[in-house]
Amino acid sequence: VVGLIIKILKLRITKIVLLILFLAFIVSLFVCRGWYGKQYHKGIGFYYVNKGDKAYKTGKYQKAVDFYRSALMHYPEHSGASCNLGNIYVSFENYYEAVNAYENALKYNPEYMVCRMDLGIILAEKMADYDKAIQEYGKVINSNPLTVNIPFIYNNKRTTNLNKGLAYYNMGLAYRGKAVYMGDRSAAAVKYLTKAAESYK
């Protein structure tokens, strides 16, 4: 008899707990409606990013662009999709759209240093906006990302140092480009060539 009573109580407690959980979920739908909507759009965004990544890897660039645009309509914060979109625009020689895509990626993820480097390269080499490119390279150089070293598994310290070295090199190229615009013998040209040499060092 005691066993039967315990069984009945367990069943009732289980039903009560399930009812409370169900009611809490219904209430949360009204209270946190925006959060659920955001998660829904985020899920769709990731779905399109995955499709875009597959198209990008197989060289189907126009399909990748369409998928990434769809992804960013649902989830604009996905900086990887924006950066990949920028890379594709570069291959199409659409440099203004590439810059917009890189800047969008950096708006949501300012620590995305590879994307910042790509932005600097396009600004300097394709748009001759040396000042802005130098600013971007400076941000890479002055960045202080978290370095992780798990022996034999993962170490990003070397990659971080490599990125900073490339940023110094590209900064040197940008200063050299500024010097060329100033003319061979001007004081400004000498100043920028000196800065270029310092960056190369």
Side-chain angles (χ1 to χ4, degrees):
V1 177
V2 175
L4 184 63
I5 292 169
I6 291 170
K7 258 188 181 179
I8 291 168
L9 283 173
K10 279 185 178 177
L11 281 172
R12 286 201 177 161
I13 290 169
T14 304
K15 284 181 180 179
I16 289 167
V17 168
L18 287 173
L19 180 65
I20 289 169
L21 288 173
F22 177 73
L23 290 173
F25 173 71
I26 296 298
V27 169
S28 74
L29 284 176
F30 291 100
V31 175
C32 306
R33 190 175 18 200
W35 184 83
Y36 282 108
K38 188 171 183 180
Q39 299 316 305
Y40 169 76
H41 285 290
K42 195 173 180 180
I44 293 173
F46 274 106
Y47 166 77
Y48 282 120
V49 167
N50 185 46
K51 302 267 283 179
D53 288 345
K54 285 179 182 173
Y56 186 32
K57 284 174 187 169
T58 56
K60 297 172 183 168
Y61 296 129
Q62 188 54 55
K63 275 191 173 182
V65 166
D66 295 339
F67 285 132
Y68 287 139
R69 280 183 179 161
S70 296
L72 292 167
M73 276 173 44
H74 289 281
Y75 184 44
E77 296 97 328
H78 198 294
S79 53
S82 289
C83 194
N84 285 347
L85 196 55
N87 294 338
I88 295 169
Y89 284 135
V90 169
S91 69
F92 290 163
E93 297 183 10
N94 188 347
Y95 303 120
Y96 289 100
E97 286 298 326
V99 167
N100 287 338
Y102 290 143
E103 286 176 343
N104 186 61
L106 293 166
K107 180 170 82 174
Y108 292 108
N109 185 3
E111 300 303 312
Y112 197 167
M113 291 305 143
V114 173
C115 188
R116 194 172 292 286
M117 188 85 78
D118 291 342
L119 172 60
I121 290 166
I122 296 307
L123 287 169
E125 294 182 13
K126 301 300 181 183
M127 304 179 83
D129 191 345
Y130 298 114
D131 290 324
K132 197 168 176 191
I134 289 165
Q135 285 177 3
E136 297 301 330
Y137 297 139
K139 287 175 185 175
V140 173
I141 291 162
N142 295 321
S143 68
N144 194 17
L146 176 69
T147 51
V148 179
N149 184 4
I150 304 168
F152 309 110
I153 297 172
Y154 181 78
N155 183 0
N156 69 342
K157 188 175 181 181
R158 187 170 178 270
T159 309
T160 301
N161 290 338
L162 232 151
N163 284 339
K164 289 188 179 195
L166 285 170
Y168 273 116
Y169 174 75
N170 287 326
M171 186 182 274
L173 292 177
Y175 277 124
R176 191 182 71 182
K178 281 190 78 162
V180 168
Y181 271 114
M182 295 297 155
D184 290 337
R185 298 176 191 272
S186 71
V190 172
K191 180 180 99 174
Y192 291 131
L193 285 172
T194 304
K195 286 189 172 188
E198 287 168 3
S199 294
Y200 292 144
K201 284 178 188 174

